[in-house]
């Protein structure tokens, strides 16, 4: 979700095998750079594999180009990586969130073969997608300050996962601003 010179990315922390909960502290959002995060909703083994592959590709890019990746470039690298595996895809729906060189918020989402969608308000993925769309459309406002953005994305996420049996059990929220990143853990229903 975007704000005024800030962007937020959040996820729940549940790892499950269908209706069985395996863990309630599984990370799905990863820091790629100081102003760039990626969220990976999907199969746990693919989340771990893709996290390591993306960090490797980012390091390789920085060695070759002698500069850091912008969110747009990272989104294109991720899209190409997913499209390469289209016949045996990673079961992942990634979201890229970050600030570009002018501190303008960047958001993109993709399907499992890397077809990107770019937006300037919010993007959702995962098992609670339908619930999240409704909550985000209701609560989102343009040009929110970081604290207001945190409150909005937290309320949208917690209200949505409370209505979905396959997600929840806590959440993590990251607010990316030009000053830095603020990360917070949220407690959710555990029933």
């Amino acid at each position: 979700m975007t704000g005024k010179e800030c962007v937020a990315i959040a996820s729940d922390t549940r790892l499950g095998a269908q209706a069985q909960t395996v863990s309630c502290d599984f990370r799905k959002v990863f820091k790629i750079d100081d102003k760039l995060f990626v969220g990976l909703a999907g199969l746990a083994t693919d989340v771990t594999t893709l996290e390591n592959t993306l960090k490797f590709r980012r390091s390789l890019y920085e060695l070759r180009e002698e500069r850091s990746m912008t969110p747009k470039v990272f989104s294109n690298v991720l899209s190409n990586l997913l499209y390469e595996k289209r016949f045996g895809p990673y079961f992942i729906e990634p979201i890229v969130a970050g600030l570009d060189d002018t501190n303008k918020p960047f958001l993109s989402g993709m399907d499992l073969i890397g077809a990107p969608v770019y937006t300037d308000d919010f993007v959702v993925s995962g098992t609670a997608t339908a619930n999240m769309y409704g909550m985000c459309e209701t609560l989102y406002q343009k040009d929110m300050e970081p604290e207001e953005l945190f409150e909005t994305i937290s309320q949208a996420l917690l209200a949505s996962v409370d209505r979905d049996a396959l997600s929840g059990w806590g959440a993590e929220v990251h607010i990316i601003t030009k000053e830095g990143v603020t990360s917070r853990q949220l407690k959710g229903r555990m029933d």
Side-chain angles (χ1 to χ4, degrees), residues 1 4 10 22 26 66 73 90 92 95-96 104 107 109 131 145 156 161 182:
M1 191 175 282
K4 185 177 183 181
V22 176
F26 185 70
E66 297 180 359
V73 170
Y90 292 116
I92 296 286
I95 291 178
V96 177
K104 183 177 180 239
L107 269 181
N131 299 340
E145 295 296 326
V161 299
T182 305

Side-chain angles (χ1 to χ4, degrees), residues 84-180:
E84 287 172 5
K85 301 283 189 183
R86 67 188 175 276
F87 297 116
Y90 292 116
F91 292 105
I92 296 286
E93 289 181 28
I95 291 178
V96 177
L99 296 177
D100 64 13
D101 296 332
T102 62
N103 292 320
K104 183 177 180 239
F106 176 87
L107 269 181
S108 74
M110 289 164 220
D111 64 1
L112 64 138
I113 61 167
V117 59
Y118 302 103
T119 183
D120 58 355
D121 49 9
F122 60 86
V123 64
V124 299
S125 72
T127 59
T129 298
N131 299 340
M132 285 293 296
Y133 266 119
M135 288 305 300
C136 289
E137 285 174 347
T138 302
L139 299 176
Y140 178 78
Q141 299 171 4
K142 282 185 92 56
D143 295 330
M144 289 185 280
E145 295 296 326
E147 281 303 313
E148 187 180 4
L149 181 61
F150 167 74
E151 191 63 35
T152 301
I153 197 168
S154 299
Q155 290 299 323
L157 179 67
L158 290 176
S160 299
V161 299
D162 280 351
R163 290 162 178 79
D164 180 38
L166 299 178
S167 55
W169 291 63
E172 61 177 339
V173 179
H174 305 278
I175 308 293
I176 308 161
T177 63
K178 58 186 173 186
E179 289 84 28

Side-chain angles (χ1 to χ4, degrees), residues 15 42 59 65 80 123 141:
L15 170 64
S59 297
E65 300 291 325
N80 288 333
V123 64
Q141 299 171 4

Side-chain angles (χ1 to χ4, degrees), residues 36-96:
L36 178 61
F37 278 70
V38 64
L40 303 172
L43 188 64
T45 54
D46 288 349
V47 168
T48 307
T49 301
L50 207 54
E51 174 201 2
N52 294 330
T53 304
L54 289 170
K55 287 184 177 178
F56 169 75
R57 292 256 177 124
R58 180 195 57 98
S59 297
L60 195 61
Y61 177 90
E62 289 180 357
L63 283 172
R64 283 185 182 161
E65 300 291 325
E66 297 180 359
R67 61 182 172 172
S68 61
M69 273 188 175
T70 63
K72 176 86 172 163
V73 170
F74 182 79
S75 182
N76 289 335
V77 167
L78 177 54
S79 179
N80 288 333
L81 176 67
L82 292 173
Y83 191 71
E84 287 172 5
K85 301 283 189 183
R86 67 188 175 276
F87 297 116
Y90 292 116
F91 292 105
I92 296 286
E93 289 181 28
I95 291 178
V96 177

